[in-house]
């Protein structure tokens, strides 16, 4: 029947006869009408689509054309420890407080393959059509020195962010940085401790620096060797471009340590660029150990760390602010020290009282002096315990430059960059609290150095030099 029906329609169409042929023509007419309708619908659909696309394009272009232009006033490249949270908050506050921005915000301009964000911190400043932008790109401390050595182009920046001090290797790699690092070009903006974290189920509560070094060199591979369960140790670490890795290497592995075959003890897949991912990994495994900024510990367990004869300490606010915690670090900004410039104004802002009030709202430790109750360590010398009963502790310390020479054996060695600023901060603190230099006790400490002035005498002279500065109030 299907064949017969097919032949019948063809016959009716071909012969043009009446009767059944009329029915065939009607079918064809309906078919032709259907084709026309479909064509019309198609054209209408295409027209509607074109209209919608045109509308969307117009909206997009209109948004682009009407969006205020951006004017980059400062660029900061370097450490993600500073660039992920601390500097964006400080940049917003600077735009509001110093430039008078009525509205501020943060725009993500991009993200690289390692997950590092490129941020524009912007502010709407009255009288200026363009958004005033602070450009922040945090890929690691090494980028801070690369950008400051650049004479222009995409690698150039105004301020370098670093979570470790500039070193001789940086200066050899970038000869233009030979004079970078003096008090006019190096600025401490906050303090941080590198926490050694384990899973909360791990019974180990403390490690010494030599034990930690042996773990990361592969000499200690089982938790039972440091008082834990009989389980293999799973190592996690930061990627080698980060300042956290470099500071951990210097403070734990030693300044003369060269990252070579021994560093490969941490598998490449566990050398992670994001501290948050290290915390996540440690929380998943009871055998894991890692190191992160003390501001990022979250639910992990931070171990107490001891160095030499000193008591074991956790990275508490007091231990970090006094830099007593063995793996403490300074968060640094570097610039070329141009007085009167916008760069200089930004540096002054973030290191002064308004900027430090912003730092206090972050997990990092600020530089404003604070008073803490004294809790002497269990094994502290009796003389120290006796002193502690009558005093509180101000969260400041005065460190001397590590580059001491034989000529400085008279005890008049130079205070380092942060210590010089701390003298001024303590003066201000005492003046605001109606105090004088006679209201505080300065205690000196020094390591015993063979063949040099006895350490007790050396420590006393250093304490006296700081006390003399404070008596000048």
């Amino acid at each position: 029947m299907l064949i017969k029906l097919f032949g019948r329609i063809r016959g009716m169409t071909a012969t043009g006869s009446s009767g059944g042929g009329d029915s065939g023509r009607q079918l064809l007419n309906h078919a032709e009408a259907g084709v026309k309708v479909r064509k019309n619908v198609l054209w209408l659909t295409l027209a509607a689509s074109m209209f919608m696309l045109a509308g969307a394009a117009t909206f997009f272009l209109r948004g682009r054309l009407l969006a205020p232009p951006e004017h980059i006033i400062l660029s900061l490249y370097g450490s993600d420890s500073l660039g992920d949270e601390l500097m964006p908050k400080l940049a917003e506050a600077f735009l509001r407080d110093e430039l008078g921005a009525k509205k501020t915000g943060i725009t993500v301009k991009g993200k690289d393959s390692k997950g590092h964000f490129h941020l524009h911190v912007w502010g709407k400043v009255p009288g200026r059509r363009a958004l005033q932008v602070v450009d922040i790109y945090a890929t690691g401390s090494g980028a801070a020195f690369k950008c400051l050595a650049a004479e222009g182009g995409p690698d150039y920046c105004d301020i370098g962010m670093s979570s470790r001090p500039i070193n001789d290797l940086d200066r050899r790699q970038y000869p233009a940085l030979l004079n970078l690092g003096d008090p006019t070009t190096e600025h401490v903006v906050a303090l941080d401790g590198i926490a050694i974290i384990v899973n909360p189920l791990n019974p180990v509560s403390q490690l010494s620096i030599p034990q930690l070094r042996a773990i990361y060199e592969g000499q200690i591979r089982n938790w039972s060797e440091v008082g834990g369960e009989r389980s293999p140790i799973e190592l996690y670490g930061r990627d080698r471009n980060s300042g956290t890795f470099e500071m951990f290497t210097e403070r734990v592995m030693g300044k003369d340590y060269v990252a070579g075959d021994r560093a490969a003890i941490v598998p490449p897949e566990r050398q992670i660029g994001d501290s948050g991912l290290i915390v996540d990994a440690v929380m998943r495994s009871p055998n894991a150990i890692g190191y992160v900024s003390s501001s990022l510990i979250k639910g992990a367990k931070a171990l107490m760390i001891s160095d030499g004869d000193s008591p074991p300490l956790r990275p508490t606010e007091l231990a970090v602010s006094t830099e007593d915690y063995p793996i403490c670090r300074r968060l640094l900004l570097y610039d070329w020290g141009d007085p009167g410039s916008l760069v200089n104004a930004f540096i002054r802002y973030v290191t002064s009282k308004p900027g430090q009030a912003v730092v206090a709202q972050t997990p990092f430790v600020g530089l404003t002096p604070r008073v803490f109750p004294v809790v002497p360590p269990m094994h502290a010398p009796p003389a120290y315990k006796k002193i502690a009963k009558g005093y509180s502790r101000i969260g400041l310390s005065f460190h001397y430059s590590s580059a001491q020479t034989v000529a400085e054996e008279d005890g008049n060695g130079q205070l380092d960059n942060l210590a010089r600023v701390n003298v001024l901060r303590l003066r201000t603190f005492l003046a605001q609290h109606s105090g004088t230099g006679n209201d505080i006790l300065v205690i000196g400490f020094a390591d015993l150095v063979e063949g040099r002035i006895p350490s007790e005498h050396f420590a006393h002279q250093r304490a006296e030099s700081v006390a003399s500065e404070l008596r000048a109030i």
Side-chain angles (χ1 to χ4, degrees), residues 6 11 42 74 77 100-101 112 124 127 154 164 176 178 194 216 252 260 267 287 297 360 365 367 417 424 468:
F6 183 75
L42 178 60
L74 290 172
Y77 292 178
D112 65 20
K124 288 186 177 181
R164 50 90 175 170
L178 182 62
I194 298 179
Y216 272 87
V252 175
N287 299 326
I297 295 171
V365 176
L367 307 176
N417 292 344
L424 300 178
S468 297

Side-chain angles (χ1 to χ4, degrees), residues 312-340:
L313 296 172
R314 284 193 175 88
T316 62
E317 182 180 2
L318 174 59
V320 172
S321 65
T322 58
E323 299 183 276
D324 291 338
Y325 178 67
I327 322 176
C328 195
R329 62 179 177 174
R330 301 172 178 183
L331 302 182
L332 301 151
L333 298 181
Y334 287 91
D335 74 307
W336 287 114
D338 184 12

Side-chain angles (χ1 to χ4, degrees), residues 82-305:
L82 285 92
D84 283 351
E85 178 183 2
L86 180 59
M87 296 318 298
K89 288 186 176 181
L90 284 168
E92 279 197 275
F94 174 76
L95 290 168
R96 289 192 302 267
D97 296 346
E98 297 297 304
L99 300 189
K102 299 301 182 183
K103 185 178 181 181
T104 60
I106 301 175
T107 302
V108 178
K109 302 300 289 186
K111 185 178 180 181
D112 65 20
S113 60
K114 293 185 177 181
H116 301 128
F117 288 102
H118 187 183
L119 305 177
H120 274 189
V121 181
W122 54 266
K124 288 186 177 181
V125 177
R128 300 183 186 181
R129 179 171 178 266
L131 295 176
Q132 305 300 291
V133 172
V134 178
D135 181 33
I136 300 177
Y137 191 23
T139 60
S141 293
F145 306 113
K146 179 181 179 181
C147 80
L148 287 172
E151 297 181 355
D155 292 333
Y156 172 80
C157 71
D158 298 303
I159 299 172
M161 307 177 291
S162 181
S163 57
R164 50 90 175 170
I166 187 171
N167 56 40
D168 291 339
L169 180 60
D170 298 315
R171 295 187 177 96
R172 286 197 298 270
Q173 187 174 2
Y174 305 110
L177 306 182
L178 182 62
N179 296 320
L180 192 70
D182 64 29
T184 64
T185 60
E186 180 186 84
H187 318 277
V188 181
V189 67
L191 298 170
D192 184 29
I194 298 179
I196 308 303
I197 58 170
V198 296
N199 190 283
L201 298 178
N202 193 321
V204 174
S205 60
Q206 68 180 63
L207 290 173
S208 65
I209 291 292
Q211 286 175 320
L212 190 56
R213 183 185 306 118
I215 287 173
Y216 272 87
E217 284 187 337
Q219 297 175 15
I220 294 177
R221 294 176 177 268
N222 198 287
W223 283 112
S224 61
E225 299 178 65
V226 289
E229 303 289 344
R230 188 170 297 280
S231 302
I233 298 175
E234 298 174 11
L235 293 177
Y236 285 87
R238 286 296 306 272
D239 68 294
R240 300 186 185 190
N241 293 323
S242 74
T244 305
F245 168 82
E246 294 180 7
M247 184 55 66
F248 176 86
T249 299
E250 178 180 323
R251 295 293 177 88
V252 175
M253 312 308 288
K255 291 184 178 181
D256 298 328
Y257 178 84
V258 178
D261 293 336
R262 290 182 296 172
I265 193 68
V266 180
E269 67 273 12
R270 294 182 188 166
Q271 297 174 17
I272 301 174
D274 187 332
S275 292
L277 296 179
I278 293 180
V279 176
D280 293 342
V282 168
M283 291 298 291
R284 287 194 298 266
S285 173
N287 299 326
I289 186 172
Y291 55 88
V292 298
S293 164
S294 61
S295 64
L296 301 173
I297 295 171
K298 298 179 182 177
K301 174 180 165 182
L303 298 181
M304 292 189 293
I305 303 298

